[in-house]
Amino acid sequence: MMYKEVDKKERPVAADLYTREYFLGDCEGYRPFLEQKGLVLSNRLENFYKRLAVKPDDRVLEIACGRGEICNLLASRVRSVVGTDYAVSAIAICQEAYRDSGHKNLQFVVADAKALPFPDNSFDLVFCSEFLEHVHDWELREVMKEIVRVLTPNGRLIAQTEPNRVYRFVSSVWSFLPRLIQSLRKGRKITFLLERPAGHIQFHVNEQTYWSVRRLIQHYFYEWRVETYEMVLNMNLILRFIFNGYPLNRLPLLRRLFDREIFAYAARPKKAG
Protein backbone atom coordinates (compact mmCIF):
# COMPACT_ATOMS: atom_id res chain seq x y z
CA MET A 1 0.00 0.00 0.00
CA MET A 2 1.41 3.36 -0.98
CA TYR A 3 1.88 6.01 1.65
CA LYS A 4 -0.99 8.47 1.27
CA GLU A 5 -0.15 11.75 -0.41
CA VAL A 6 -1.95 14.76 1.07
CA ASP A 7 -2.11 18.43 0.22
CA LYS A 8 -0.06 20.92 2.17
CA LYS A 9 -2.67 22.43 4.43
CA GLU A 10 -1.56 22.36 8.05
CA ARG A 11 0.87 24.92 9.36
CA PRO A 12 4.05 23.52 10.95
CA VAL A 13 4.48 23.87 14.68
CA ALA A 14 6.42 27.13 15.10
CA ALA A 15 10.07 26.64 16.02
CA ASP A 16 9.95 29.41 18.62
CA LEU A 17 7.41 27.42 20.66
CA TYR A 18 10.25 25.05 21.51
CA THR A 19 11.81 27.32 24.09
CA ARG A 20 14.71 26.86 26.46
CA GLU A 21 12.14 26.38 29.22
CA TYR A 22 10.54 23.57 27.22
CA PHE A 23 13.79 21.65 26.79
CA LEU A 24 14.93 22.20 30.39
CA GLY A 25 11.62 21.86 32.18
CA ASP A 26 9.19 19.74 30.18
CA CYS A 27 10.86 17.72 27.43
CA GLU A 28 11.57 14.06 28.24
CA GLY A 29 14.82 13.55 30.19
CA TYR A 30 15.35 17.09 31.43
CA ARG A 31 15.97 16.10 35.06
CA PRO A 32 18.94 13.78 34.37
CA PHE A 33 20.28 16.35 31.94
CA LEU A 34 20.24 19.12 34.55
CA GLU A 35 21.79 16.86 37.17
CA GLN A 36 24.44 15.15 35.02
CA LYS A 37 24.98 17.57 32.11
CA GLY A 38 23.95 15.07 29.47
CA LEU A 39 26.08 12.18 30.70
CA VAL A 40 23.09 10.18 32.00
CA LEU A 41 19.86 9.46 30.13
CA SER A 42 16.32 9.06 31.39
CA ASN A 43 14.93 5.52 31.25
CA ARG A 44 13.05 6.21 28.02
CA LEU A 45 16.02 7.81 26.26
CA GLU A 46 18.31 5.06 27.55
CA ASN A 47 15.96 2.48 26.05
CA PHE A 48 16.20 4.20 22.68
CA TYR A 49 19.97 4.67 22.92
CA LYS A 50 20.47 0.94 23.48
CA ARG A 51 18.62 0.19 20.24
CA LEU A 52 21.06 2.24 18.14
CA ALA A 53 23.25 -0.46 16.62
CA VAL A 54 26.06 1.85 15.54
CA LYS A 55 29.34 0.89 13.89
CA PRO A 56 32.73 2.53 14.56
CA ASP A 57 32.94 3.96 11.03
CA ASP A 58 29.39 5.36 10.99
CA ARG A 59 28.65 8.95 10.10
CA VAL A 60 25.53 9.68 12.14
CA LEU A 61 22.81 12.32 11.93
CA GLU A 62 20.15 12.98 14.55
CA ILE A 63 17.02 14.87 13.56
CA ALA A 64 15.36 16.89 16.35
CA CYS A 65 18.24 16.35 18.74
CA GLY A 66 16.82 18.55 21.50
CA ARG A 67 19.43 18.79 24.26
CA GLY A 68 21.78 16.45 22.36
CA GLU A 69 22.47 13.87 25.07
CA ILE A 70 22.38 10.91 22.69
CA CYS A 71 24.67 12.63 20.18
CA ASN A 72 27.15 13.35 22.95
CA LEU A 73 27.20 9.73 24.13
CA LEU A 74 27.50 8.39 20.57
CA ALA A 75 30.48 10.58 19.71
CA SER A 76 32.97 8.18 21.32
CA ARG A 77 31.52 5.20 19.41
CA VAL A 78 31.35 6.42 15.80
CA ARG A 79 33.32 8.37 13.20
CA SER A 80 31.18 11.52 13.42
CA VAL A 81 27.87 12.77 14.81
CA VAL A 82 25.77 15.74 13.76
CA GLY A 83 22.76 16.80 15.81
CA THR A 84 20.17 19.01 14.13
CA ASP A 85 17.12 20.82 15.44
CA TYR A 86 15.08 23.65 13.97
CA ALA A 87 14.71 25.19 17.43
CA VAL A 88 17.51 27.68 17.97
CA SER A 89 17.14 27.25 21.72
CA ALA A 90 17.90 23.51 21.46
CA ILE A 91 21.14 24.02 19.56
CA ALA A 92 22.19 26.77 21.97
CA ILE A 93 21.73 24.33 24.87
CA CYS A 94 23.78 21.69 23.06
CA GLN A 95 26.63 24.05 22.28
CA GLU A 96 26.75 25.21 25.89
CA ALA A 97 26.53 21.72 27.37
CA TYR A 98 29.16 20.01 25.21
CA ARG A 99 31.56 22.85 24.48
CA ASP A 100 34.20 21.15 26.65
CA SER A 101 33.27 17.54 25.85
CA GLY A 102 36.50 16.97 23.93
CA HIS A 103 34.61 15.38 21.02
CA LYS A 104 36.06 16.89 17.86
CA ASN A 105 33.70 14.72 15.78
CA LEU A 106 30.55 16.18 17.38
CA GLN A 107 28.63 19.05 15.75
CA PHE A 108 25.27 20.73 16.31
CA VAL A 109 23.45 22.63 13.56
CA VAL A 110 20.20 24.59 13.38
CA ALA A 111 18.33 22.94 10.51
CA ASP A 112 14.83 22.18 9.33
CA ALA A 113 14.52 18.45 8.62
CA LYS A 114 12.55 19.28 5.46
CA ALA A 115 15.65 20.96 3.98
CA LEU A 116 18.79 19.41 5.47
CA PRO A 117 21.97 21.41 4.73
CA PHE A 118 24.09 18.36 3.83
CA PRO A 119 25.22 16.83 0.52
CA ASP A 120 23.73 13.61 -0.84
CA ASN A 121 25.02 10.36 0.69
CA SER A 122 26.51 12.11 3.73
CA PHE A 123 25.41 9.70 6.49
CA ASP A 124 25.38 6.00 7.26
CA LEU A 125 22.74 6.30 9.98
CA VAL A 126 19.94 8.78 10.60
CA PHE A 127 17.91 8.55 13.78
CA CYS A 128 15.16 10.47 15.55
CA SER A 129 13.32 10.02 18.80
CA GLU A 130 9.88 11.49 19.58
CA PHE A 131 9.88 13.54 16.40
CA LEU A 132 7.35 12.04 13.97
CA GLU A 133 4.41 13.08 16.12
CA HIS A 134 5.49 16.73 15.93
CA VAL A 135 5.13 17.12 12.14
CA HIS A 136 2.16 16.88 9.79
CA ASP A 137 1.88 14.24 7.07
CA TRP A 138 2.97 16.58 4.29
CA GLU A 139 6.02 17.51 6.35
CA LEU A 140 6.80 13.85 6.99
CA ARG A 141 6.94 13.21 3.25
CA GLU A 142 9.48 15.99 2.79
CA VAL A 143 11.49 14.86 5.81
CA MET A 144 11.63 11.29 4.53
CA LYS A 145 12.77 12.45 1.09
CA GLU A 146 15.58 14.39 2.76
CA ILE A 147 16.55 11.40 4.90
CA VAL A 148 16.70 9.21 1.80
CA ARG A 149 18.80 11.85 0.02
CA VAL A 150 21.44 12.27 2.75
CA LEU A 151 21.74 8.54 3.51
CA THR A 152 24.22 6.36 1.66
CA PRO A 153 22.73 3.61 -0.58
CA ASN A 154 23.14 1.12 2.28
CA GLY A 155 22.24 3.65 4.97
CA ARG A 156 19.94 2.98 7.91
CA LEU A 157 17.15 4.80 9.70
CA ILE A 158 15.98 4.25 13.28
CA ALA A 159 12.94 6.22 14.40
CA GLN A 160 10.93 6.11 17.61
CA THR A 161 7.59 7.81 18.23
CA GLU A 162 5.11 7.88 21.09
CA PRO A 163 2.37 7.77 22.07
CA ASN A 164 0.77 5.27 19.75
CA ARG A 165 -2.45 7.07 18.81
CA VAL A 166 -4.51 3.89 19.15
CA TYR A 167 -3.15 3.34 22.67
CA ARG A 168 -4.97 6.37 24.06
CA PHE A 169 -8.36 5.16 22.86
CA VAL A 170 -7.88 1.48 23.69
CA SER A 171 -6.43 2.27 27.11
CA SER A 172 -9.29 4.71 27.78
CA VAL A 173 -11.89 2.00 27.15
CA TRP A 174 -9.93 -0.69 29.01
CA SER A 175 -9.32 1.47 32.09
CA PHE A 176 -12.68 3.26 32.23
CA LEU A 177 -14.34 1.10 34.90
CA PRO A 178 -11.49 1.27 37.45
CA ARG A 179 -11.08 4.99 36.72
CA LEU A 180 -14.81 5.51 37.24
CA ILE A 181 -14.75 3.66 40.58
CA GLN A 182 -11.74 5.70 41.70
CA SER A 183 -13.38 8.98 40.71
CA LEU A 184 -16.59 8.12 42.59
CA ARG A 185 -14.61 7.24 45.70
CA LYS A 186 -12.67 10.50 45.62
CA GLY A 187 -15.42 12.74 44.24
CA ARG A 188 -13.49 13.68 41.12
CA LYS A 189 -14.72 14.32 37.61
CA ILE A 190 -13.83 11.79 34.96
CA THR A 191 -13.58 11.95 31.17
CA PHE A 192 -14.12 8.92 28.99
CA LEU A 193 -10.87 9.47 27.11
CA LEU A 194 -7.66 9.70 29.06
CA GLU A 195 -6.64 13.34 29.32
CA ARG A 196 -3.84 14.49 27.06
CA PRO A 197 -1.13 16.65 28.66
CA ALA A 198 -1.19 20.26 27.47
CA GLY A 199 2.16 19.75 25.76
CA HIS A 200 0.77 16.87 23.72
CA ILE A 201 -2.11 18.98 22.44
CA GLN A 202 0.18 21.86 21.43
CA PHE A 203 3.09 19.90 19.97
CA HIS A 204 1.77 16.45 19.03
CA VAL A 205 -0.02 17.40 15.84
CA ASN A 206 0.35 13.99 14.20
CA GLU A 207 0.50 11.09 16.65
CA GLN A 208 1.16 7.85 14.80
CA THR A 209 -0.05 4.24 14.86
CA TYR A 210 1.82 1.04 14.14
CA TRP A 211 0.14 0.91 10.73
CA SER A 212 0.80 4.54 9.77
CA VAL A 213 4.50 4.22 10.60
CA ARG A 214 4.67 0.99 8.66
CA ARG A 215 3.14 2.59 5.56
CA LEU A 216 5.48 5.55 5.84
CA ILE A 217 8.69 3.54 6.20
CA GLN A 218 7.97 0.95 3.52
CA HIS A 219 7.31 3.70 1.01
CA TYR A 220 10.88 5.00 1.32
CA PHE A 221 13.01 1.92 2.19
CA TYR A 222 13.59 -1.52 0.68
CA GLU A 223 14.27 -3.15 4.03
CA TRP A 224 12.24 -2.30 7.11
CA ARG A 225 10.48 -3.53 10.20
CA VAL A 226 8.24 -1.79 12.71
CA GLU A 227 7.89 -2.88 16.33
CA THR A 228 5.87 -1.70 19.30
CA TYR A 229 6.91 -1.73 22.96
CA GLU A 230 5.05 -1.37 26.20
CA MET A 231 6.04 1.76 28.09
CA VAL A 232 6.20 0.59 31.71
CA LEU A 233 7.93 3.54 33.40
CA ASN A 234 7.13 3.30 37.13
CA MET A 235 3.95 1.20 36.84
CA ASN A 236 3.33 -1.72 39.15
CA LEU A 237 1.55 -4.83 37.86
CA ILE A 238 -1.91 -3.51 38.80
CA LEU A 239 -1.40 -0.26 36.90
CA ARG A 240 0.08 -2.12 33.96
CA PHE A 241 -3.08 -4.22 33.82
CA ILE A 242 -5.41 -1.21 34.15
CA PHE A 243 -3.73 1.05 31.58
CA ASN A 244 -1.65 -1.29 29.40
CA GLY A 245 -3.76 -4.46 29.42
CA TYR A 246 -0.83 -6.51 30.73
CA PRO A 247 -0.32 -9.46 30.23
CA LEU A 248 -2.90 -9.65 27.42
CA ASN A 249 -0.98 -6.91 25.63
CA ARG A 250 1.79 -9.41 24.89
CA LEU A 251 -0.43 -11.17 22.36
CA PRO A 252 0.71 -10.22 18.82
CA LEU A 253 -2.36 -8.27 17.68
CA LEU A 254 -3.07 -6.63 21.03
CA ARG A 255 0.50 -5.34 21.15
CA ARG A 256 -0.28 -3.02 18.25
CA LEU A 257 -3.20 -1.60 20.25
CA PHE A 258 -1.86 -1.41 23.81
CA ASP A 259 1.85 -0.69 23.30
CA ARG A 260 2.64 3.00 23.64
CA GLU A 261 6.00 3.19 21.82
CA ILE A 262 6.58 2.55 18.12
CA PHE A 263 10.03 1.84 16.66
CA ALA A 264 10.93 1.73 12.99
CA TYR A 265 14.14 0.14 11.70
CA ALA A 266 14.93 0.62 8.02
CA ALA A 267 17.80 0.18 5.56
CA ARG A 268 18.57 0.66 1.87
CA PRO A 269 16.68 3.86 1.04
CA LYS A 270 14.81 4.04 -2.26
CA LYS A 271 16.95 6.56 -4.08
CA ALA A 272 15.44 8.65 -6.88
CA GLY A 273 16.49 7.54 -10.33
Side-chain angles (χ1 to χ4, degrees):
M1 181 176 179
M2 297 292 285
Y3 185 63
K4 184 180 179 182
E5 297 284 328
V6 296
D7 294 332
K8 295 183 182 180
K9 294 181 180 178
E10 308 93 341
R11 294 176 63 86
V13 179
D16 57 10
L17 291 178
Y18 296 92
T19 62
R20 186 179 185 87
E21 290 71 27
Y22 168 79
F23 289 110
L24 299 182
D26 184 47
C27 188
E28 169 63 30
Y30 72 88
R31 286 192 177 93
F33 175 83
L34 293 174
E35 294 169 0
Q36 300 292 332
K37 302 301 182 184
L39 298 177
V40 175
L41 301 174
S42 68
N43 290 338
R44 278 163 61 184
L45 292 181
E46 179 72 23
N47 181 50
F48 178 75
Y49 176 70
K50 288 178 178 178
R51 298 181 189 280
L52 294 174
V54 296
K55 304 172 184 177
D57 204 37
D58 275 344
R59 297 164 296 170
V60 179
L61 170 69
E62 180 175 12
I63 291 174
C65 66
R67 296 175 304 266
E69 303 103 305
I70 294 179
C71 287
N72 181 54
L73 293 175
L74 281 178
S76 61
R77 300 173 54 195
V78 298
R79 189 202 305 185
S80 63
V81 185
V82 179
T84 63
D85 204 298
Y86 82 151
V88 174
S89 58
I91 299 305
I93 291 170
C94 294
Q95 292 171 341
E96 293 169 12
Y98 312 116
R99 183 181 296 115
D100 300 321
S101 68
H103 297 308
K104 297 185 183 300
N105 62 341
L106 177 61
Q107 181 183 8
F108 293 100
V109 179
V110 176
D112 187 332
K114 300 188 294 294
L116 294 169
F118 308 109
D120 297 358
N121 306 313
S122 293
F123 299 99
D124 305 290
L125 171 66
V126 174
F127 73 91
C128 57
S129 173
E130 302 192 17
F131 164 69
L132 304 184
E133 67 273 16
H134 289 252
V135 290
H136 298 287
D137 278 339
W138 70 265
E139 295 181 279
L140 271 180
R141 289 204 318 275
E142 296 194 12
V143 169
M144 292 302 294
K145 289 174 183 176
E146 280 294 273
I147 290 174
V148 167
R149 182 183 66 80
V150 301
L151 276 174
T152 61
N154 290 314
R156 297 113 59 206
L157 168 69
I158 300 177
Q160 176 266 2
T161 181
E162 71 88 19
N164 174 358
R165 188 169 73 244
V166 176
Y167 165 86
R168 179 171 177 254
F169 294 95
V170 172
S171 185
S172 295
V173 174
W174 182 265
S175 66
F176 182 72
L177 182 58
R179 288 190 294 118
L180 177 62
I181 294 172
Q182 183 78 346
S183 67
L184 292 174
R185 286 178 54 196
K186 298 193 174 182
R188 297 176 180 170
K189 293 182 179 180
I190 185 174
T191 59
F192 178 70
L193 290 178
L194 291 169
E195 295 287 349
R196 298 175 71 197
H200 282 196
I201 296 172
Q202 183 177 21
F203 298 113
H204 289 196
V205 296
N206 194 17
E207 291 177 352
Q208 301 291 311
T209 68
Y210 164 82
W211 294 278
S212 67
V213 172
R214 187 171 140 161
R215 287 195 302 270
L216 175 70
I217 297 301
Q218 71 180 12
H219 186 69
Y220 292 97
F221 286 85
Y222 290 109
E223 298 176 10
W224 56 270
R225 80 178 195 275
V226 178
E227 302 288 349
T228 61
Y229 299 98
E230 180 187 7
M231 185 178 286
V232 177
L233 299 180
N234 298 319
M235 289 185 178
N236 57 37
L237 288 177
I238 294 175
L239 291 178
R240 285 179 70 187
F241 174 77
I242 291 174
F243 291 102
N244 294 358
Y246 179 84
L248 298 177
N249 64 352
R250 296 303 87 201
L251 297 174
L253 177 59
L254 292 183
R255 290 190 63 167
R256 311 310 184 201
L257 305 179
F258 275 106
D259 284 352
R260 185 179 170 102
E261 285 192 282
I262 305 168
F263 278 75
Y265 307 88
R268 296 181 58 222
K270 296 179 180 180
K271 296 280 189 178

